[in-house]
Amino acid sequence: MTLHEPAIELVRLRGVTKRYPGVTALDDVDLSVVEGEVHGLIGENGAGKSTLIKVLSGVERSAGEYTFGGEKVELRSPRDARERGISVLHQERHLVPTFTVGENVLLDDILSRRLSVFNKRNVWARSRRYLDLVGLDLDPSDTVDGLSSAQQQLVEIARALSVQARLLILDEPTASLAFHEAADLLRIIDNLRAQRVSTLFVSHKLEEVTEICDRVTILRDGRVVGEGLDPTRLSRDDLVTRMIGRTYVSEAATVRALNESDVALQASGLHGVGSPRPASFVVRRGEILGWYGLVGAGRTELARLIVGAERSKGGSLRVDGHEVSVKSVADALRHHGIGYVTEDRQGEGLFLLHTIARNVSATTWSRLRNRIGFFDPRAETRTAEEYRRSLSIRTPDVSKTVGSLSGGNKQKVSLAKWLVAGPRVLIIDEPTVGIDIATKQEIHDLVTRLADQGVAIVLISSDLPEMIGLADRVLVFRHGEIVADLSNSKDYQLMSALVMQAIIDDRDDVTAPVVRVAEEQPSATLERRASAG
Amino acid sequence: MTTMLTSAPTIARPNARHARTGGWLVAVNLALFVWLAVTQDAYLSDRNIQTLLSNLSIVALIGLAQMVVIAAGELNLALGAAGSLSALAACSLMVNVGVPVPLAMAAGVVTGAMCGAFNGYVIGQFGLSSFIVTLATASVFTGVALGFSEAQPITGLPTGFVDLGHETVFGVPRTLLLAAIAAVALAVFFRKCGLGRQILAYGGNSEATELSGLRRLDVMVAVQAISGAVAGWAALLLTAQIGQGQPDVGRDWLLPSFAAPIIGGTLLAGGSLSVTGTCLAALLLTQVGSAIVFIGLDPFWVQFVQGTIIVAAAFFDRTRGRAGRRARSSAETTPMGVGA
């Protein structure tokens, strides 16, 4: 697509740098978005895309120069950004479910007029215009409750337009959409050019990016590795190469020698309400099985199904060869030895206001009783002390509350809790999100140690280097389906290309060199091929 | 380009849901009324109808006071205590200072509003839960009321005030009319006022509205203050009915305050309310209370029945709220990887 000259520059970033403790999320980033263009932003998980979105939308402040509409700006809040015409569509929906479509479209208007008289009909009538802009043929007096996710997304776009957005930032807008819905959305984004609205389009789906974007900027490790490229001149392989082309090989990238061990957990055609597609896989004792996929690819849903947090609708699950029916999370742990370290450690995994000791022993209170059946607090403290030392949880005292620990140390407590319980199978969901590099390494070591002790590990992670550094085998999830089973050679270049290939291939005609490991073939056939890194 | 998007699935309208709740409540109320009127001779007596409607005015008001807070997804456990303090302030002004009745009543309502505003400020400013704050201030307000009055009722209220509790206008108790004014005001407020809509938006999705710059503090102060004012109004009317200023007039309000809005179709999760439904549910509660007296059950069973009805209503609330929750849970995606 060609731009109408002369192009007026709407956004201009120069030398934007954002450091978090221990991590440089953005390193000297330049970006230029012109009026009316659709600008793609791509990069792996962890490349700094969401930090960049946060900087652009006033959520985070950064060093460097930010020019918007020809004027140097210093955004102090998301509201500040919105007043200038910067709207972000997050991956999560932000609608008011009890309000009508029309009210949701004009929500910002409603929220800014505290003392005026509210007239529903007037709101509905005015919202019509914006619904038309996004091609939504809905009655403004309908509630948003029953809308499909595509329709809800369009309602949010209409809302963004209603505040005269000049820059629309779309974060993975098609992640939760069916193929045809995504196609419709792309067409609408395409039409926004006519409104002189600029769009920053963040997506993992390279076909979409190539199809709709005028220019593409690629981030890798917080740096811009390609600014304002013309996507029509780049093949998909070029884009992938630029995205993953790093010499950095993740820690401990040695292929673990696995004995031909027993299958610890085997799922056949397992499916439930949250994960409607049947899933089959095996994980052996001492094996680390990685589950990679985009957010929403169905990994957490499958894990919840296995541990009994969701009800199974069919298929079978075998633990150590015996068919089991897991009734609840407690049942999974107590009777089948399946533990689950949740991703949401703040909300689900830990009791933040309780002491470290109590958290560590939470899964095994019944075992900490003394001879006459009373709970023994000293045994609790003893166990916790042991784990504090072996996991190097940085706290002076296990009687401190968990809430006072840093994210990484919270995660260690979360893991320690399961170590005490001694599970046969441990599912670990996104163990290192938001954790600094040093602690990350410790957690990785811990996971490997657990596997060495014979625990079968399912590692769910969206961090590709982590996945390739840790897993023995990687299952790739897409749209709730396992689309590839890759034996991990721990060669980052090769593996990341294979994984990305499996993820972005929406078409079936591509003959990707997917290494399929048959279910019966022991993964121990992997040679010890140490690639010191 | 709209072809794919026009096929909207059938949409459940909340107003339709309320209408159904309303219809159900009208039917049950009517059935109960007819049954009692047929089986109990005294039920249709003037005196009983007066009592019924007087009680209704109080139950409806305390239900509405709680409804306002529930609409924002919060709760107010201090509404009885704030009411007691309001009534005490008004009575004290009338009897000890000699302030004219309307002025003293206004001062009572303002006292309730101030108690609520204080709750809202503490909740919003310090990011605390309304549960714990109002639980604590309920004790604080009660302590002030009892300490101030030395736990003695204030007697010798002006007749102009006490008459409010006993007069009728065309056969309707004046207190019911005074309660109706508050109900209508609230209905208009939530339907027509910007602030009312903002409260509902906040209750429906607090995160989305906060991202749009609505401050939680403002919402908390607004709902708690309104709740306190309505509770104060209820306490004044009840005091007029009783004829003396009791320092703990709102002691037993907690249960009915939740029962009425929940039975009446106000979503516990927030974002949606029904003034009509709350009033109809208050009528149901009043009739049930009356029925228990008429059929000779021990009045202590009133609490048992109210409790049972609340459990049933909470169950209905769950089914009713399911559509809304589904929309929200499907929107919940997992947090993304670092910087992704």
Side-chain angles (χ1 to χ4, degrees), chain A residues 80-335:
Chain A
D80 219 6
R82 197 168 311 98
E83 274 162 12
R84 290 177 185 273
I86 302 164
S87 266
V88 187
L89 235 75
H90 299 275
Q91 271 183 295
E92 325 80 62
R93 298 280 61 81
H94 285 299
L95 295 172
V96 178
T98 47
F99 272 22
T100 59
V101 169
E103 288 171 280
N104 270 294
V105 169
L106 292 178
L107 193 61
D108 290 286
D109 185 57
I110 292 170
L111 293 178
S112 65
R113 292 165 186 244
R114 182 154 297 173
L115 296 174
S116 65
V117 173
F118 174 81
N119 183 335
K120 226 173 208 178
R121 288 183 196 290
N122 179 295
V123 165
W124 291 340
R126 279 192 295 147
S127 69
R128 189 66 268 172
R129 202 182 126 217
Y130 304 107
L131 289 172
D132 286 342
L133 279 180
V134 296
L136 254 186
D137 190 19
L138 288 175
D139 187 340
S141 65
D142 285 339
T143 56
V144 292
D145 245 14
L147 301 185
S148 71
S149 55
Q151 289 169 322
Q152 293 193 356
Q153 202 135 24
L154 290 175
V155 169
E156 280 201 66
I157 294 180
R159 179 181 157 197
L161 297 177
S162 79
V163 292
Q164 267 76 52
R166 299 173 68 193
L167 175 67
L168 194 57
I169 302 173
L170 303 174
D171 190 1
E172 295 283 352
T174 58
S176 57
L177 301 187
F179 184 75
H180 65 271
E181 293 173 327
D184 281 332
L185 180 69
L186 293 187
R187 223 166 318 152
I188 286 154
I189 294 168
D190 201 22
N191 289 342
L192 288 181
R193 283 178 232 268
Q195 314 290 324
R196 305 301 292 161
V197 175
S198 306
T199 307
L200 187 69
F201 187 83
V202 184
S203 178
H204 271 104
K205 298 184 182 166
L206 297 185
E207 300 85 348
E208 291 176 0
V209 173
T210 337
E211 185 190 327
I212 194 165
C213 295
D214 302 301
R215 297 191 299 158
V216 177
T217 293
I218 305 171
L219 279 180
R220 187 207 307 152
D221 290 341
R223 288 169 172 276
V224 172
V225 291
E227 196 204 339
L229 307 173
D230 180 354
T232 53
R233 295 204 187 158
L234 289 165
S235 73
R236 199 166 57 185
D237 286 350
D238 291 338
L239 289 173
V240 174
T241 308
R242 281 176 189 256
M243 277 167 70
I244 64 172
R246 65 177 112 184
T247 48
Y248 166 75
V249 178
S250 69
E251 332 79 353
T254 47
V255 176
R256 294 169 66 236
L258 287 173
N259 297 321
E260 197 170 316
S261 53
D262 304 328
V263 170
L265 183 75
Q266 174 169 21
S268 322
L270 199 63
H271 62 102
V273 182
S275 46
R277 315 229 183 160
S280 304
F281 69 92
V282 293
V283 53
R284 291 165 193 280
R285 283 172 53 84
E287 186 186 28
I288 303 174
L289 177 68
W291 287 4
Y292 190 80
L294 300 182
V295 169
R299 296 166 300 164
T300 299
E301 290 74 9
L302 184 58
R304 288 175 60 83
L305 195 58
I306 291 168
V307 297
E310 294 295 339
R311 190 148 299 197
S312 157
K313 298 205 83 178
S316 72
L317 191 66
R318 284 168 184 275
V319 178
D320 293 335
H322 303 292
E323 179 149 359
V324 298
S325 130
V326 181
K327 288 173 197 71
S328 66
V329 180
D331 183 48
L333 180 69
R334 202 163 303 149
H335 299 118

Side-chain angles (χ1 to χ4, degrees), chain B residues 42 59-60 115 168 181 234 238 283 310 339:
Chain B
V59 179
C115 288
T168 58
I181 292 172
L238 183 55
L283 177 62
I310 293 184

Side-chain angles (χ1 to χ4, degrees), chain B residues 307-328:
Chain B
T308 313
I309 296 179
I310 293 184
V311 173
F315 174 76
F316 283 122
D317 176 77
R318 212 182 131 72
T319 21
R320 203 166 38 218
R322 199 164 280 162
R325 255 193 298 279
R326 200 172 336 109
R328 253 165 290 168

Side-chain angles (χ1 to χ4, degrees), chain A residues 46 48-50 79 82 91 95 97-98 103 108 110-111 114 116-118 135 143 145-146 151 159 184 191 295 343, chain B residues 1-2 4-5 9 12 14 17 191-192 194-195 197-198 204-205 211-214 218 271 334 336 338-340:
Chain A
K49 289 172 297 180
S50 58
R79 189 174 204 175
R82 197 168 311 98
Q91 271 183 295
L95 295 172
T98 47
E103 288 171 280
D108 290 286
I110 292 170
L111 293 178
R114 182 154 297 173
S116 65
V117 173
F118 174 81
T143 56
D145 245 14
Q151 289 169 322
R159 179 181 157 197
D184 281 332
N191 289 342
V295 169
E343 169 181 43
Chain B
M1 96 183 127
T2 59
M4 291 300 182
L5 300 156
R17 273 185 253 146
R191 194 162 298 174
K192 284 290 168 192
L195 181 57
R197 301 310 292 181
Q198 292 183 358
N205 188 343
L211 275 175
S212 291
L214 188 65
D218 295 356
T334 46
M336 300 157 52
V338 201

